[in-house]
Amino acid sequence: MKNRLVAISMVSGLTLLTVTVGSLIVPSLLFMLGISITGLHIWPVVALSVGMAWMAAKMLQVEKPGRLLGEALALSILLFAVCFWISGSFYDLSYDGQAYHQESVIYLANGWNPVYDEALNVSTGHSLWINHYGRASEIASAVMYAATGLIEHSKVFNLLMIVTSFLLSMSALLALRPDQAKRAVIVAVLLALNPVSVYQVFSYYVDGLLASVLLCLVALACLIFARPGWLLLSAYSALMIFAMNIKFTGIAYAGVLTLGLLVVLYMSEQFVRLKQMFMIAAVGGLMGMFLIGYNPYVTNTIAQGNPFYPLAGAGAVDVIQDFIPRNLESMNRFEQAVNSNFSVMAGNTSEKTPTQIKLPFTFTERELVALSAPDAAVSGFGPLFSGVLLLALLLLALGFHYRKGAAMAAIGLISILAISAFVNPVAWWARYVPQFWIIPLICVWLGFSIKGNRVVTGASWLLIAVISINTVIVGGTYTYYQYTWNQTLREQLSEIQAAQLPVRADFTYSWSNRERLAKLGIAFIEERPLKCEDKLTLTHSGTSICMHP
């Protein structure tokens, strides 16, 4: 049963991973041939995914892979359908999602080829980000949007990759410890439910997606260490390409994780696998930068002299300076991270309000408002994360006392993740370093590996309990606010529909909402600024409506 669980979860995880990665790689390669995204792009992605499922089934069951293939495909289709439906049940009410992520998706689905076509000039002022940022998520979503015509459903990849990261994490944990099935499921669930992923799941924000991708990379690295196979190496390389093109920091994060895997393979004297990993990582890195990532990395270098423009080089824009709490400005990145994670939760604000240290394991209802939006800034991993860190440190110390070898392995993996995070000077802001979430759960798994010790087992379950409560608080709060705001927006849109006449609309920063109105059959005339006294402002949508001619 345990082997069956490993097989089904791994094949399904690799299948859904291919859906996501293929939705970037297929259109990116076709861009180079001058072919823009169409509704037909989904079919080669489906073919690649079925092919991956077949090869994975053959890898795990050489003689009779048919049953495993059927079960894994059925599970994959079911999971995708559920994720697609849930994603479409919520409007994206985030600022960035409506301002430029959705706008990018719409332009890409409508035929914009970023390799050959001129840079976009969008009057909302967000052309800079659309033209020069990595756009793996937007390209993948554009493939889905072109195929379905459903803009809200097309943000499915945020939720889909949470599910994928759970499946691959569970596979990796069971491959390392096949006798820990129930505990592997629990830890894999908590790993996948990274707070950053959770409070961005109903939006087009990409930090949560990056969090899920990084967890998948860690899981694949563990599987590569535990079992040989070119298929896992290829999946790792393809996912690395996706990470590199989600956002600029994805290059550093994927690079550090890959370097860490190479070091582990070297230290364990797996030299054949080390050579294979080095070669495929090098190919993936080059493809990620110069082929799949031709725009923005090559085009940015040619036009602006820096691949990471507008965040680096001449004319660089500091997107953090206006939002960092004033008392953190005088600290180094390590001090900032400690201060933030042990402070009262706070949302993203330009008021530069100083942080407030609080007692671990405590929180107030006022703090939870920060979880309503996708960019909780101070203590962004949840109200109990400071307590989680203290318990994790205690468990790590106990593990080192009772089983030094396993503890050293855990410390090695923790060090790799910490290095990858602190490469980023904004390590105090959770959504920019989502891989921090993995660290305490490594300590949990270390505790579970020490058998026959009640103190260690009790500490492990206590940490699981605190992490679970924190996760429920984060998920419950975010879902409550998003559901409430969505209900308000639906009521407003129904009121506009009932008017049955062309309305005047000012979309301000959220031109993508033109699609929202058009989808509901609401005729509108754009006017800026609006000249009426009784305008209706759509909640969290940057859009105002005049109901009367």
Side-chain angles (χ1 to χ4, degrees):
M1 177 62 185
K2 294 175 184 176
N3 290 336
R4 196 75 183 165
L5 182 61
V6 173
I8 293 175
S9 60
M10 187 184 299
V11 176
S12 299
L14 289 172
T15 302
L16 295 177
L17 184 152
T18 306
V19 172
T20 302
V21 174
S23 295
L24 166 68
I25 292 178
V26 168
S28 296
L29 292 176
L30 292 176
F31 282 152
M32 302 299 291
L33 299 176
I35 301 173
S36 299
I37 292 175
T38 71
L40 298 177
H41 276 57
I42 192 67
W43 297 113
V45 174
V46 171
L48 281 174
S49 303
V50 174
M52 169 60 83
W54 171 250
M55 290 184 289
K58 286 281 288 182
M59 176 184 71
L60 294 172
Q61 292 191 7
V62 179
E63 296 181 358
K64 297 180 179 180
R67 180 183 173 186
L68 175 58
L69 173 67
E71 292 173 343
L73 282 178
L75 179 60
S76 299
I77 292 170
L78 175 63
L79 291 173
F80 180 88
V82 171
C83 291
F84 190 75
W85 173 70
I86 293 175
S87 299
S89 299
F90 287 84
Y91 286 111
D92 179 1
L93 301 180
S94 67
Y95 182 93
D96 286 3
Q98 296 174 93
Y100 71 89
H101 289 301
Q102 283 193 55
E103 197 75 11
S104 298
V105 172
I106 293 168
Y107 275 106
L108 287 162
N110 287 342
W112 179 50
N113 183 332
V115 173
Y116 293 108
D117 293 344
E118 292 184 2
L120 295 173
N121 183 14
V122 182
S123 299
T124 53
H126 297 290
S127 302
L128 185 68
W129 321 118
I130 296 174
N131 289 321
H132 298 288
Y133 269 5
R135 58 179 71 86
S137 173
E138 290 84 351
I139 291 173
S141 296
V143 170
M144 204 60 59
Y145 180 46
T148 65
L150 302 171
I151 187 66
E152 299 297 342
H153 293 73
S154 297
K155 61 181 182 289
V156 63
F157 295 103
N158 279 2
L159 182 54
L160 189 67
M161 283 305 293
I162 291 177
V163 173
T164 303
S165 67
F166 160 70
L167 293 171
L168 292 179
S169 296
M170 184 169 63
S171 302
L173 293 173
L174 287 173
L176 295 172
R177 295 296 303 272
D179 60 326
Q180 300 273 3
K182 293 181 180 179
R183 294 175 176 180
V185 172
I186 294 171
V187 173
V189 167
L190 294 177
L191 280 168
L193 292 177
N194 187 315
V196 178
S197 298
V198 170
Y199 58 62
Q200 293 189 357
V201 71
F202 301 139
S203 75
Y204 269 101
Y205 266 67
V206 299
D207 310 282
L209 177 63
L210 182 59
S212 299
V213 168
L214 293 176
L215 177 57
C216 288
L217 284 174
V218 173
L220 287 173
C222 293
L223 288 168
I224 290 168
F225 176 80
R227 60 174 72 220
W230 64 268
L231 192 64
L232 291 174
L233 290 169
S234 299
Y236 184 96
S237 182
L239 192 59
M240 184 176 70
I241 291 172
F242 193 87
M244 294 170 65
N245 285 280
I246 295 176
K247 56 191 306 181
F248 295 154
T249 51
I251 295 178
Y253 296 162
V256 172
L257 293 180
T258 303
L259 183 60
L261 176 56
L262 292 172
V263 170
V264 169
L265 292 175
Y266 177 80
M267 293 180 66
S268 60
E269 298 184 350
Q270 299 185 52
F271 298 120
V272 174
R273 210 172 304 177
L274 171 65
K275 182 179 179 180
Q276 294 172 339
M277 185 66 216
F278 179 82
M279 291 177 61
I280 202 161
V283 171
L286 292 172
M287 285 186 63
M289 284 286 288
F290 299 108
L291 184 59
I292 305 302
Y294 179 84
N295 185 316
Y297 296 115
V298 175
T299 54
N300 279 352
T301 303
I302 294 172
Q304 304 295 335
N306 192 298
F308 306 116
Y309 178 84
L311 301 186
V317 178
D318 190 337
V319 296
I320 302 299
Q321 184 57 42
D322 290 340
F323 303 101
I324 182 172
R326 195 168 302 283
N327 63 315
L328 298 189
E329 292 178 332
S330 60
M331 301 179 187
N332 63 45
R333 66 187 68 186
F334 305 104
E335 293 170 334
Q336 290 174 342
V338 172
N339 184 287
S340 175
N341 286 308
F342 282 83
S343 292
V344 173
M345 286 192 68
N348 179 16
T349 174
S350 59
E351 295 179 2
K352 302 178 78 67
T353 306
T355 60
Q356 301 176 29
I357 299 296
K358 70 172 186 177
L359 285 174
F361 305 106
T362 65
F363 67 93
T364 65
E365 187 176 345
R366 290 176 59 188
E367 288 183 69
L368 303 186
V369 177
L371 296 170
S372 62
D375 52 1
V378 178
S379 194
F381 287 111
L384 299 180
F385 192 65
S386 57
V388 167
L389 291 175
L390 292 178
L391 286 175
L393 185 61
L394 171 63
L395 196 51
L396 189 62
L398 289 171
F400 191 80
H401 177 73
Y402 289 108
R403 195 176 173 189
K404 188 171 295 185
M408 290 303 295
I411 290 171
L413 182 52
I414 289 171
S415 298
I416 293 169
L417 290 166
I419 291 169
S420 74
F422 282 111
V423 165
N424 193 330
V426 197
W428 62 271
W429 197 333
R431 78 178 180 96
Y432 288 112
V433 286
Q435 62 269 44
F436 260 132
W437 179 251
I438 302 173
I439 291 176
L441 285 155
I442 293 173
C443 298
V444 169
W445 195 246
L446 169 65
F448 284 154
S449 71
I450 301 172
K451 295 183 177 180
N453 190 302
R454 293 184 178 180
V455 174
V456 175
T457 301
S460 300
W461 283 111
L462 177 60
L463 182 51
I464 282 286
V466 176
I467 293 174
S468 299
I469 294 170
N470 186 79
T471 300
V472 170
I473 292 171
V474 172
T477 303
Y478 174 73
T479 303
Y480 167 77
Y481 277 104
Q482 291 296 312
Y483 176 81
T484 302
W485 293 345
N486 265 264
Q487 288 299 102
T488 299
L489 179 60
R490 286 190 172 89
E491 291 171 2
Q492 292 175 322
L493 292 172
S494 295
E495 181 182 348
I496 298 170
Q497 276 185 302
Q500 295 184 340
L501 50 79
V503 297
R504 288 177 288 152
D506 181 2
F507 295 102
T508 63
Y509 65 82
S510 57
W511 280 19
S512 58
N513 285 337
R514 291 174 293 182
E515 294 292 312
R516 188 173 291 175
L517 298 187
K519 197 69 182 177
L520 294 172
I522 298 172
F524 59 88
I525 301 169
E526 292 187 50
E527 180 181 294
R528 189 172 188 182
L530 284 179
K531 298 176 182 178
C532 64
E533 296 181 358
D534 58 342
K535 65 182 178 182
L536 174 65
T537 300
L538 301 183
T539 185
H540 296 85
S541 294
T543 300
S544 296
I545 302 291
C546 279
M547 297 290 289
H548 305 292

